[in-house]
Amino acid sequence: HLVRFETMENIKKAKYELIENLPKDGLAVFNLDNDGSRDLFNKCPQPNKIGYSLKETVIETSSENTYFTLFGQRVKTTLLGRQNVLNILGAVGVAQHLGMTAVEIIRSIPFIHPVPHRLELIRASNQALIIDDAYSSNIEGYKAAFDFSRSLPNYPKVLVTPGLVELGKSQDLENSKMAKAASSVFDYAIVVNLE
């Protein structure tokens, strides 16, 4: 969003407009692992608000599944990576607010399937593992994909990317950071131009 809003502060203001326009009985949901979102949570006067975080969550990843603790139980999801556990925790908070029980929530998690092109696992005919994360090209998205790729034993690891786009004035700096991070995870990088 930086190309349109220019600063993170402007993005926070625009997102907070959603909260300000909720009805009095509306629900505001915040990712407390994100500094900006946590600031908005603390500022929010909404009586119904939920904050969620990975801080107390034990997570194990493999190339096929992610396991995490929820309500004291070990739960399995086919969604890959820590960031998807964070997304699930946000949904869990909403589900509880709507009256679902812990048992109902845990039973529902296996039915959550990956969205195409968002850390989607594809096994090629030669058994190569392809992680399709083509939809994401933002800072948090590439960090999550890199962390997940780092956790896998498969080698060699090849990154195919157009780089980060639509970041306005910070685009060159963020792409430089991404390249440095990629060098610690991948054996090869192929930069493509999708325009």
Side-chain angles (χ1 to χ4, degrees), residues 33-49:
D33 289 346
N34 176 279
D35 292 340
S37 181
R38 189 171 51 253
D39 290 345
L40 296 180
F41 175 84
N42 292 331
K43 172 183 173 182
C44 178
Q46 195 74 7
N48 294 322
K49 68 178 180 179

Side-chain angles (χ1 to χ4, degrees), residues 162-178:
L164 297 166
V165 296
E166 297 188 1
L167 293 181
K169 295 174 184 175
S170 65
Q171 185 161 314
D172 289 344
L173 174 62
E174 293 302 335
N175 272 296
S176 177
K177 289 179 186 176
M178 184 181 83

Side-chain angles (χ1 to χ4, degrees), residues 34 42 65-66 81 105 108 157 164 168 192:
N34 176 279
N42 292 331
N65 301 296
T66 304
I105 291 169
S108 300
K157 295 179 181 178
L164 297 166
V192 296

Side-chain angles (χ1 to χ4, degrees), residues 4 6 22 32 61 78 96-97 147 153 168 178-179 184-185 193:
R4 292 179 184 86
E6 296 185 352
L22 282 172
L32 299 181
T61 59
T78 57
Q96 285 182 293
H97 178 78
D147 284 345
M178 184 181 83
S184 70
V185 178
N193 184 348

Side-chain angles (χ1 to χ4, degrees), residues 126-142:
N126 66 354
Q127 294 306 303
L129 187 63
I130 299 168
I131 302 163
D132 180 357
D133 198 39
Y135 189 84
S136 295
S137 63
N138 61 57
I139 296 166
E140 294 305 315
Y142 90 73

Side-chain angles (χ1 to χ4, degrees), residues 6 13 18 28 33-34 36-37 41-42 66 73 77-78 83 92 99 110 115 134 152 167 174 182-183 188-189 191:
E6 296 185 352
K13 285 178 187 173
L18 298 169
D33 289 346
N34 176 279
S37 181
F41 175 84
N42 292 331
T66 304
Q73 294 189 43
T77 178
T78 57
Q83 79 290 350
V92 166
V115 174
L152 299 177
L167 293 181
E174 293 302 335
S183 70
Y188 303 96
V191 180

Side-chain angles (χ1 to χ4, degrees), residues 70-85:
L70 182 64
F71 304 120
Q73 294 189 43
R74 188 172 188 252
V75 179
K76 179 175 91 170
T77 178
T78 57
L79 301 183
L80 303 176
R82 295 176 60 83
Q83 79 290 350
N84 278 316
V85 174

Side-chain angles (χ1 to χ4, degrees), residues 112-155:
I112 303 171
H113 299 291
V115 174
H117 313 297
R118 294 226 181 191
L119 278 185
E120 182 182 14
L121 187 69
I122 302 166
R123 186 69 71 173
S125 58
N126 66 354
Q127 294 306 303
L129 187 63
I130 299 168
I131 302 163
D132 180 357
D133 198 39
Y135 189 84
S136 295
S137 63
N138 61 57
I139 296 166
E140 294 305 315
Y142 90 73
K143 286 179 180 176
F146 285 13
D147 284 345
F148 177 70
S149 298
R150 183 181 286 110
S151 73
L152 299 177
N154 308 62
Y155 291 98

